[in-house]
Amino acid sequence: MEAIGVATGWIYGPYAYTGRLGPLLLGVPVLIPFAWFMMAYPAFIVACQVLDEPPVAPRRRWGVAALAAIWMTAWDLVMDPAMARMGFWVWKTRGPYFGVPLQNFAGWMATMLLIYGIYLWVSSRWPSPVPSPPGAPLMEAVLAYALAGAPFVLHPLLNPRADPTAQALGLIAFFTMGPPVLIATLRSHSFKVMRK
């Protein structure tokens, strides 16, 4: 999807990587698929927890996929403008959202729905024979998701002279990435045990 996006501008809007993220393959840094997975898994697990669905073969497959895709895109709402400002990629057409075209976020949603949809289709046909204990991957996933948003929130708090864009992105991160973390934590098995 990234290679098609870079080559055509069709999925995310017209952009190009600068090479600052390391070697490129088909115009895309080799690191990028790992970055997608680094956030795709926590967003998916958090969505499963919030909807009280198992991560393998959930009953409400498209509900899980849609919620996880939204929360994955929430991360991009803060990550994309910040990384573009640091010169990791360049938008060839300046968009209305901190220079990012709105098409980018629709592309993220579509990409993640496709990825989650494929995973859920496969997992419904070949579920894991080893059940995971209740809440096993949850706190790690919640922590990973929270840590991805934390720098954006903390930077303006720790640096009162942060520019207005950094301050705005901090607020956006807090109000888009904070609720999934809070809801998943409150619904977690560990939290319920601590309250007893």
Side-chain angles (χ1 to χ4, degrees):
M1 297 290 279
E2 285 266 10
I4 294 168
V6 167
T8 66
W10 181 67
I11 300 172
Y12 310 103
Y15 71 108
Y17 285 99
T18 62
R20 293 189 64 194
L21 288 173
L24 304 178
L25 178 64
L26 300 175
V28 180
V30 175
L31 181 68
I32 289 295
F34 298 102
W36 279 78
F37 180 75
M38 176 196 76
M39 282 305 292
Y41 178 73
F44 176 76
I45 294 296
V46 170
C48 287
Q49 176 67 15
V50 167
L51 294 176
D52 196 24
E53 293 282 359
V56 176
R59 298 176 308 276
R60 294 174 287 181
R61 285 187 292 184
W62 289 109
V64 169
L67 190 57
I70 288 168
W71 286 342
M72 190 61 183
T73 306
W75 174 56
D76 192 53
L77 285 172
V78 291
M79 185 271 304
D80 204 299
M83 297 289 274
R85 289 179 74 203
M86 290 189 280
F88 292 109
W89 54 83
V90 176
W91 289 102
K92 296 177 182 176
T93 303
R94 187 163 175 79
Y97 183 78
F98 301 104
V100 180
L102 298 181
Q103 178 185 349
N104 174 63
F105 305 110
W108 267 69
M109 281 289 296
T111 299
M112 294 317 301
L113 280 171
L114 178 65
I115 290 170
Y116 291 135
I118 290 170
Y119 165 74
L120 290 167
W121 179 79
V122 169
S123 75
S124 69
R125 279 146 183 78
W126 296 284
S128 170
V130 181
S132 57
L138 172 71
M139 292 320 293
E140 292 87 347
V142 172
L143 181 60
Y145 191 85
L147 287 175
F152 301 104
V153 175
L154 294 175
H155 173 67
L157 293 175
L158 300 175
N159 183 4
R161 294 184 180 180
D163 64 72
T165 299
Q167 293 176 11
L169 292 176
L171 280 173
I172 292 165
F174 181 79
F175 285 108
T176 60
M177 297 183 74
V181 170
L182 179 62
I183 296 166
T185 301
L186 293 175
R187 289 184 62 89
S188 76
H189 176 74
S190 304
F191 185 79
K192 290 172 186 171
V193 168
M194 284 176 12
R195 291 184 62 196
K196 288 183 179 178

